[in-house]
Amino acid sequence: MMAVAPANRTAVVTGGASGIGAACADRLRKEGVRVLTLDRASSADLVVDITDAAAVAAAAAETGPVDVLVNSAGIVGPSLSFLETSLDDWRRVIEVNLFGTVNCMQAFVPDMVERGWGRVVNIASVAGKEGNPSMSVYSASKGATITLTKAVGKELATTGVIVNAVAPGNILTPMSADTPPDVLERYISLIPMARRGQASEVAELVAWLASEKVTFSTGSVYDISGGRATY
């Protein structure tokens, strides 16, 4: 029996104070969804560091039932060759990009399972599929996010909770603002559409994955890369 979406949905969007997260929050609000942004920034509805599992759990207890979770919070980390990276670099990025996502899913998903309906959308990256040179730390963290999505999506497949990921290519956001011009030029050269994406374009895909319209897709990864993705 197919689970029925709740009439009045609530969403939590991590990293919702800026970039893709903010665009997702705005787009979901246009669908009539009550959105709570969760971010370290003081402008967020829930000011929380996602690497603090106890703080995330407390936020989940405070919000009450949540129907949609968008995990958009993340950091890029160092732009260095693999041999130049340190274990501290790896720990810092994985703590945010992977463990932060895990913390949020463990805090918010159990209640979705109990109520028999939920949507989780994890923001990964094309880098997690293809591996970007000089970005091994970020690429590995996003690759882990992709496989986490696949595994949990399969585990929850009969619960009414759908878990998918979005893998953006190069998107114009504050997080990518410091990309060196030569690196940016190389990235754009890999995009058949010959331009960077907009956060609002990613948000359209996320809004669809967070809706009741998606009923037979879970553990999947949806590219939004202007044609860059090769598999």
Side-chain angles (χ1 to χ4, degrees):
M1 182 176 179
M2 191 177 298
V4 178
N8 298 305
R9 287 176 293 155
T10 296
V12 166
V13 180
T14 76
S18 65
I20 290 174
C24 290
D26 288 344
R27 183 64 184 82
L28 289 171
R29 289 190 186 103
K30 291 177 182 177
E31 293 293 321
V33 178
R34 171 179 174 252
V35 177
L36 299 171
T37 55
L38 188 154
D39 204 301
R40 293 179 61 183
S42 60
S43 60
D45 299 308
L46 302 166
V47 181
V48 179
D49 182 343
I50 62 169
T51 66
D52 185 338
V56 174
E62 176 186 341
T63 62
V66 167
D67 308 294
V68 175
L69 172 64
V70 179
N71 284 305
S72 182
I75 59 175
V76 175
S79 181
L80 298 170
S81 72
F82 169 71
L83 296 180
E84 293 177 297
T85 61
S86 68
L87 284 180
D88 283 343
D89 292 329
W90 285 86
R91 290 189 185 99
R92 182 169 62 92
V93 174
I94 289 175
E95 190 76 26
V96 176
N97 293 359
L98 178 59
F99 293 165
T101 297
V102 169
N103 288 340
C104 292
M105 290 175 69
Q106 289 189 330
F108 290 101
V109 170
D111 187 66
M112 296 180 187
V113 172
E114 183 177 337
R115 289 180 293 112
W117 197 93
R119 297 290 184 268
V120 178
V121 185
N122 295 326
I123 306 299
S125 172
V126 166
K129 300 178 72 174
E130 299 185 355
N132 283 353
S134 300
M135 293 187 71
S136 57
V137 184
Y138 178 76
S139 298
S141 73
K142 291 301 186 178
T145 300
I146 288 171
T147 50
L148 169 69
T149 300
K150 290 178 175 291
V152 179
K154 291 172 183 175
E155 287 183 21
L156 302 182
T158 59
T159 67
V161 179
I162 286 177
V163 184
N164 289 300
V166 170
N170 196 281
I171 307 298
L172 187 59
T173 66
M175 193 169 77
S176 64
D178 296 331
T179 306
D182 59 323
V183 175
L184 181 60
E185 184 178 353
R186 177 167 62 83
Y187 286 161
I188 293 176
S189 73
L190 298 173
I191 302 172
M193 285 188 168
R195 68 172 177 86
R196 303 171 77 183
Q198 299 290 328
S200 60
E201 293 174 305
V202 180
E204 285 292 337
L205 179 54
V206 171
W208 177 69
L209 289 171
S211 75
E212 69 280 3
K213 298 174 184 177
V214 179
T215 57
F216 197 58
S217 176
T218 195
S220 296
V221 184
Y222 292 79
D223 294 332
I224 182 161
S225 63
R228 170 182 164 177
T230 55
Y231 68 90

